[in-house]
């Protein structure tokens, strides 16, 4: 009794059978190919979104610079709000690796309104800061409309609005030169900032000259935040001595940060959720 052997298809028969399948059910073939193409495209898109977002972040950080450090008063050992000595700006400027130093000081009691007819409760959460003239250069920020403060306007009631602050007050390109009610007196809007990526809180702020704050709004010169640019390869070295240099008597009362780290973390979180 002979043993049956399973039949085998020749290679030419396999090709003919496959060709028959393709021609016999063309719609199924098209749908199958379309499904594979969509799957591959989806994979490429997911990888592409992540890669392009990372490249965009790297480009943004490269343009803004990662050598910006900031320092502000923290808490004392008793939990009270600390202050920074006025000499901090000059002391930090003496560090060889520091390229420029600027500062802002909040006017806690000042509010800004479109006119003096608006109720005091409708301040919109906008902050008012006195600022040094080199703040714009230090932060790599830009003026979208109008001009930045100068040696003359910093001494008089002139104000530059952040991007979102101007939008909330309904002030645009055509309203440069208009007056706003700030701190109980009229100030003239001389410019509007473009969004400040490294320090987004300035988008919701009104900035006046340091001397103008002292002259018109009883600003006492208290520093809220110091910003300094360092040599790119000396960021960590400067960061380690920033607090004891800014406040030698109480370095533990100085909070030091690197704004570009926060920007990178925020962007990385957005990419992760995407």
């Amino acid at each position: 009794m002979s043993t049956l052997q399973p039949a085998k298809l020749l290679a030419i028969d396999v090709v003919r059978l496959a060709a028959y399948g393709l021609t016999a059910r063309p719609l199924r073939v098209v749908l199958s190919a379309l499904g594979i193409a969509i799957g591959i495209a989806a994979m490429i898109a997911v990888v592409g979104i992540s890669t392009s977002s990372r490249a965009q972040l790297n480009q943004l950080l490269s343009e803004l610079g990662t050598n910006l450090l900031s320092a502000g008063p923290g808490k004392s050992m008793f939990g009270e709000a600390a202050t920074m000595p006025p000499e901090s700006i000059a002391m930090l400027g003496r560090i060889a690796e520091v390229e420029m130093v600027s500062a802002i000081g909040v006017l806690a009691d000042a509010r800004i309104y479109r006119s003096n007819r608006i109720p005091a409760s409708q301040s919109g959460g906008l902050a008012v800061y006195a600022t040094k003239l080199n703040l714009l250069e230090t932060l790599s920020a830009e003026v979208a409309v109008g001009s930045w403060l100068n040696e003359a306007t910093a001494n008089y009631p002139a104000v530059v609005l952040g991007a979102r602050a101007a939008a909330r007050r309904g002030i645009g390109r055509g309203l440069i030169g208009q007056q706003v009610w700030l701190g109980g007196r009229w100030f003239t809007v001389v410019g509007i900032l473009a969004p400040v990526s490294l320090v987004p809180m300035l988008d919701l702020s009104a900035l006046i000259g340091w001397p103008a704050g002292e002259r018109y709004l009883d600003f006492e010169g208290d520093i809220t935040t110091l910003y300094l640019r360092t040599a790119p390869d000396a960021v960590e070295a400067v960061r380690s001595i920033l607090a004891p240099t800014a406040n030698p008597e109480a370095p533990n009362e100085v909070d030091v940060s690197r704004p570009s780290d926060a920007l990178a973390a925020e962007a990385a979180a957005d990419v992760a959720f995407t």
Side-chain angles (χ1 to χ4, degrees):
M1 181 175 176
S2 62
T3 303
L4 298 177
Q5 298 293 330
K8 295 183 179 180
L9 287 176
L10 299 176
I12 187 64
D13 295 328
V14 173
V15 172
R16 289 174 180 173
L17 183 60
Y20 175 77
L22 293 176
T23 56
R25 297 178 176 83
L27 181 60
R28 177 182 294 180
V29 172
V30 171
L31 292 177
S32 299
L34 183 61
I36 296 173
I38 291 175
I40 295 174
M43 291 292 294
I44 293 175
V46 169
V47 175
I49 289 173
S50 176
T51 303
S52 63
S53 298
R54 187 181 301 109
Q56 183 179 5
L57 172 62
N58 291 336
Q59 180 182 358
L60 177 62
L61 292 177
S62 177
E63 293 174 354
L64 297 177
T66 57
N67 59 334
L68 177 69
L69 295 173
S70 66
K75 298 289 185 180
S76 68
M77 61 184 301
F78 300 105
E80 301 175 348
T83 58
M84 297 187 69
E87 301 82 13
S88 298
I89 299 176
M91 291 189 293
L92 290 172
R94 296 189 186 101
I95 300 176
E97 292 80 7
V98 172
E99 299 174 348
M100 61 186 74
V101 184
S102 191
I104 59 173
V106 65
L107 289 88
D109 297 328
R111 298 291 183 268
I112 178 172
Y113 305 92
R114 181 71 179 268
S115 76
N116 59 348
R117 302 293 184 182
I118 298 176
S121 60
Q122 298 181 14
S123 63
L126 304 182
V128 179
Y129 293 99
T131 178
K132 297 294 186 179
L133 293 181
N134 63 345
L135 180 70
L136 204 67
E137 182 182 5
T138 304
L139 298 181
S140 297
E142 297 180 353
V143 176
V145 183
S147 61
W148 177 242
L149 299 168
N150 55 40
E151 293 288 350
T153 55
N155 288 277
Y156 293 97
V159 60
V160 175
L161 300 178
R164 295 175 63 188
R168 289 192 180 185
R169 289 293 168 260
I171 297 174
R173 180 180 299 273
L175 296 178
I176 296 298
Q178 177 180 320
Q179 292 188 318
V180 292
W181 189 250
L182 192 157
R185 64 171 298 134
W186 293 105
F187 274 69
T188 302
V189 178
V190 297
I192 299 174
L193 294 180
V196 184
S197 300
L198 284 178
V199 190
M201 74 173 188
L202 294 183
D203 295 342
L204 286 169
S205 304
L207 304 172
I208 65 174
W210 203 275
E214 295 174 336
R215 177 182 298 180
Y216 300 108
L217 301 178
D218 298 324
F219 176 55
E220 297 181 354
D222 292 334
I223 297 173
T224 300
T225 309
L226 286 165
Y227 299 102
L228 60 154
R229 288 279 182 183
T230 73
D233 57 349
V235 175
E236 293 304 325
V238 173
R239 188 175 188 174
S240 64
I241 63 173
L242 199 160
T245 304
N247 192 351
E249 294 184 358
N252 59 299
E253 297 180 0
V254 179
D255 290 336
V256 180
S257 63
R258 190 175 180 181
S260 58
D261 289 346
L263 178 64
E266 181 182 356
D270 289 341
V271 172
F273 282 120
T274 300

